[in-house]
Every structure is written in structure tokens, then in C-alpha cells.
């Protein structure tokens, strides 16, 4: 699950405050604060929202270069090799047009990320969120306005459609000019 960093920071501050006031080191159990919500979108819904934020040509590239979905590792490896070949060919066209080659590196980075993190989106996670819910319910209105952390208040469709362009611009510092 992806959550806004300011929400995470606020939830962390609330948890630290709760530990300071309610936790004694000689107890047998350590409190756990799972920061999650039951209204967050599924992995497929997140992907659909991110794709909505792409331009027409980027959507075309995704569907034809990156849109492989299979559970068979051999088919996935062959598909990845085809995607690399296609990205390499398109990078050659980019070079001819005077742009930097970025597509093959992008395909490799996506493949590495998917390979490293595939367990996370494929598993159905059931998290106990009672401690975080208790913290949020115990806030006064003024505290809730300052330490906003309720994930149920987020319009996830809008958030995810804005996330990808902002991530590309600020985190990756890429503009993908010429795509």
C-alpha cells in the first residue's frame, strides 16, 4: 500500500506519543501499530489509476511493452526479453531523433522492481489496525486537524492519478521528453 508521507509521519508521531504515555518497558508485549485502512484500493485498481495519469503514447508503450501479465515464470522471462528488444529498438529511434535512450533502462528498472517486490502485491494482507484506530479516535478535533492521518479520508482515485506525474517529476527527475 502507498500512503502519503505526511499521513505516515503524523501516524508515527501519534504512535510515539502513545508509547510515551501508555507503554512500560516491563510489560511482556510491545505495541504494534499497523498503519493501513480497509478502504485502500487493490493492486489492480492502483495500476489502473496510475495508467490514467499517463499520456496517450506512454499508455500505448505500457500496453504493448509492459502489459505482460502471467503467472508462468518462463513466459514472463520470454516476455521480458521481447520487451527489452522492443525498448532497444525504440531507443534507437529516440537516438535518431536526438533524444537520450531511456526505454530499455526503464524496462530493466520495472522488471527489477517487479521481481524484487512481487510478493507484496500478490499476497492478501490482513493487518490488525486496532492501535492506530484507537489513536485516531482519541484525538480532539484540533489534534485531528494538526495530525491528520486517517487514510479513510483520502480520495484514492484522485491521489493515485496525481501520484505518477509527481513521482516522475520530483522523485525520478525525468521528463521523458519526446515520448
Amino acid at each position: 500500500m502507498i500512503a502519503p508521507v505526511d499521513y505516515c509521519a503524523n501516524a508515527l508521531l501519534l504512535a510515539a506519543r502513545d508509547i510515551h504515555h501508555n507503554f512500560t518497558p516491563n510489560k511482556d508485549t510491545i505495541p504494534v501499530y499497523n498503519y493501513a485502512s480497509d478502504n485502500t484500493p487493490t493492486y489492480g485498481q492502483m495500476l489502473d489509476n496510475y495508467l490514467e495519469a499517463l499520456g496517450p503514447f506512454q499508455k500505448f508503450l505500457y500496453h504493448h511493452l509492459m502489459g505482460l501479465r502471467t503467472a508462468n515464470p518462463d513466459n514472463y522471462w520470454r516476455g521480458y526479453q521481447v520487451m527489452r528488444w522492443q525498448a532497444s529498438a525504440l531507443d534507437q529511434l529516440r537516438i535518431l531523433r536526438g533524444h537520450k535512450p531511456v526505454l530499455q533502462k526503464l524496462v530493466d528498472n520495472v522488471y527489477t522492481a517487479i521481481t524484487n517486490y512481487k510478493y507484496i502485491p500478490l499476497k492478501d494482507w490482513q493487518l490488525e489496525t486496532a492501535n492506530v484506530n484507537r489513536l485516531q479516535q482519541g484525538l480532539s478535533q484540533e489534534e485531528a486537524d494538526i495530525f491528520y492521518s486517517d487514510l479513510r479520508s483520502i480520495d484514492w482515485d484522485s491521489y493515485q492519478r496525481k501520484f505518477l506525474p509527481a513521482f516522475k517529476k520530483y522523485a525520478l527527475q525525468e521528463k521523458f521528453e519526446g515520448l
Side-chain angles (χ1 to χ4, degrees), residues 87 91 94 99-107 174 176-177 179:
D91 272 344
R94 288 180 55 80
H99 298 289
K100 290 171 48 177
V102 296
L103 297 175
Q104 188 169 353
K105 182 177 179 184
L106 179 65
V107 168
E174 296 178 357
F176 293 102
E177 64 277 339
L179 284 183

Side-chain angles (χ1 to χ4, degrees), residues 27-42:
K27 285 186 178 178
D28 291 335
T29 60
I30 297 172
V32 175
Y33 299 86
N34 289 316
Y35 189 54
S37 176
D38 56 0
N39 80 320
T40 55
T42 65

Side-chain angles (χ1 to χ4, degrees), residues 15-92:
R17 177 180 151 223
D18 188 56
I19 288 172
H20 174 73
H21 290 295
N22 300 319
F23 179 68
T24 55
N26 48 350
K27 285 186 178 178
D28 291 335
T29 60
I30 297 172
V32 175
Y33 299 86
N34 289 316
Y35 189 54
S37 176
D38 56 0
N39 80 320
T40 55
T42 65
Y43 181 71
Q45 291 167 329
M46 285 176 30
L47 186 59
D48 290 342
N49 286 333
Y50 293 148
L51 292 177
E52 284 297 315
L54 296 176
F57 189 65
Q58 291 172 328
K59 280 184 191 178
F60 172 81
L61 286 176
Y62 171 80
H63 285 296
H64 290 89
L65 299 180
M66 308 296 283
L68 178 66
R69 293 182 181 156
T70 180
N72 182 317
D74 294 332
N75 286 345
Y76 191 80
W77 176 253
R78 282 190 288 277
Y80 165 63
Q81 294 303 320
V82 169
M83 287 183 237
R84 279 189 102 245
W85 178 82
Q86 291 171 326
S88 177
L90 288 171
D91 272 344
Q92 294 303 316

